[in-house]
């Protein structure tokens, strides 16, 4: 496990953010305040902690916007294909976050593992459901072609498209 920053170890991140953003202090001034309070922390450590916070905040903001757009897309097109794409997207995002698991600070690692497992199972069930739906649709189309209700050329194109 990588070494944790002094700011994280001393639970100073929120204080650093407050002093920098609300009180408009410089990193040097923040260092002086924290040292006066007995914390052995450097200006560069404070700056790294703040930069890490900014990067995380930007990532979460971007993910939030993407998820909102995904939810709107699913509302407009509530088919299993859209839902399957959404689950795949969420799985990718969770795996990106888990990729650096040693840097993450959470109460129970089992919660993250359980969430990833649930997303994987959901993706698998959606894929099976979609494939079953496509098979049923092909049966109906073939029956329609046999009865002369569906143009055989259209059936052929659909079979080529779906690999059926």
């Amino acid at each position: 496990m990588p070494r944790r920053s002094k700011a994280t170890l001393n639970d100073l991140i929120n204080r650093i953010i407050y002093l920098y953003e609300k009180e408009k202090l410089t990193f040097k001034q923040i260092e002086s305040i924290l040292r006066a309070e007995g914390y052995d922390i450097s200006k560069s450590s404070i700056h790294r902690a703040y930069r890490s916070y900014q990067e995380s905040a930007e990532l979460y903001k971007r993910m939030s916007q993407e998820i909102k757009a995904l939810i709107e897309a699913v509302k407009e097109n509530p088919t299993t294909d859209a839902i399957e794409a959404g689950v795949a997207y969420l799985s990718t995002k969770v795996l990106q976050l888990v990729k650096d698991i040693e840097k993450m600070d959470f109460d129970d690692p089992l919660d993250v593992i359980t969430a990833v497992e649930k997303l994987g199972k959901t993706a698998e069930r959606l894929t099976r459901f979609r494939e079953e739906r496509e098979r049923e649709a092909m049966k109906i189309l073939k029956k329609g072609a046999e009865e002369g209700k569906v143009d055989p050329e259209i059936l052929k194109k659909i079979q080529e498209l779906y690999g059926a």
Side-chain angles (χ1 to χ4, degrees):
M1 184 173 226
R3 195 171 142 236
R4 294 176 69 183
S5 75
K6 288 182 181 180
T8 302
L9 287 173
N10 294 321
D11 199 26
L12 296 173
I13 300 293
N14 289 336
R15 181 98 189 277
I16 291 168
I17 294 164
Y18 174 80
L19 291 171
Y20 185 77
E21 291 183 352
K22 302 289 186 211
E23 298 291 324
K24 306 294 184 197
L25 300 178
T26 66
F27 293 122
K28 187 69 175 162
Q29 291 169 321
I30 295 169
E31 175 192 24
S32 296
I33 290 170
L34 294 177
R35 283 187 180 273
E37 293 175 0
Y39 294 104
D40 179 25
I41 191 165
S42 68
K43 179 186 116 188
S44 61
S45 180
I46 293 167
H47 186 255
R48 279 192 307 273
Y50 183 77
R51 189 174 57 231
S52 176
Y53 155 77
Q54 277 186 313
E55 290 168 358
S56 294
E58 183 59 36
L59 171 67
Y60 291 127
K61 181 180 174 184
R62 209 170 43 247
M63 285 177 58
S64 175
Q65 291 168 342
E66 291 171 356
I67 289 170
K68 284 178 185 174
L70 178 66
I71 289 169
E72 288 303 313
V74 170
K75 281 182 185 175
E76 292 173 12
N77 185 14
T79 66
T80 55
D81 294 338
I83 295 169
E84 187 176 358
V87 169
Y89 171 81
L90 292 174
S91 297
T92 302
K93 290 301 179 183
V94 169
L95 289 174
Q96 284 175 351
L97 289 173
V98 173
K99 184 175 74 175
D100 254 344
I101 200 161
E102 290 181 349
K103 293 181 181 176
M104 292 179 70
D105 190 21
F106 46 83
D107 294 332
D108 189 359
L110 189 57
D111 291 342
V112 176
I113 294 166
T114 302
V116 172
E117 180 184 21
K118 286 180 180 178
L119 280 170
K121 286 181 180 179
T122 301
E124 181 183 340
R125 283 193 301 264
L126 280 169
T127 299
R128 280 197 307 252
F129 179 73
R130 180 184 43 79
E131 289 170 351
E132 181 181 312
R133 197 183 75 215
E134 287 172 1
R135 279 192 300 273
E136 290 298 317
M138 286 307 297
K139 284 181 190 176
I140 292 168
L141 285 171
K142 286 179 183 177
K143 184 178 179 188
E146 289 170 1
E147 295 172 356
K149 296 177 182 175
V150 175
D151 185 347
E153 266 314 296
I154 292 175
L155 178 61
K156 182 180 173 185
K157 293 287 183 190
I158 291 172
Q159 287 174 321
E160 289 172 5
L161 181 65
Y162 286 98

